[in-house]
Amino acid sequence: MGGLPIESTSMAISVSQHPKDEKSAPSTVPADSKPKKKICCACPETKKLRDECIVEHGQSACEKWIEAHRKCLRAEGFNV
């Protein structure tokens, strides 16, 4: 009998990964499901400027670019 719940659980996991469930998730938990991209792919323009500045001048000299990137990520729905 121990195998039955595991099979049901894995079946439930695969079902929850379908796009239909992802579309319904924002109505239940909007904060967790709001970002439509991975954080690494969001805001490529500000990310590039931030990274180039840090490489050339160091983190302390690039606070405006770091904050601009954070602002962009927040606009995309990330909690940073």
Side-chain angles (χ1 to χ4, degrees):
M1 278 205 255
L4 292 176
I6 294 172
E7 291 173 16
S8 299
T9 304
S10 62
M11 183 182 273
I13 290 171
S14 0
V15 171
S16 68
Q17 293 175 350
H18 288 289
K20 291 177 185 175
D21 290 340
E22 289 175 12
K23 291 178 184 174
S24 64
S27 62
T28 31
V29 187
D32 293 339
S33 302
K34 188 176 178 184
K36 298 187 191 271
K37 303 175 185 177
K38 292 181 181 179
I39 196 165
C40 62
C41 301
C43 305
E45 301 85 14
T46 57
K47 181 180 180 180
K48 181 180 177 184
L49 292 170
R50 178 204 65 181
D51 292 349
E52 287 176 358
C53 182
I54 291 172
V55 168
E56 293 176 18
H57 307 287
Q59 185 173 349
S60 59
C62 301
E63 288 302 318
K64 75 174 190 176
W65 297 116
I66 293 168
E67 188 53 39
H69 187 56
R70 286 181 183 155
K71 184 178 178 181
C72 181
L73 292 173
R74 287 184 200 111
E76 291 286 332
F78 294 98
N79 187 17
V80 292

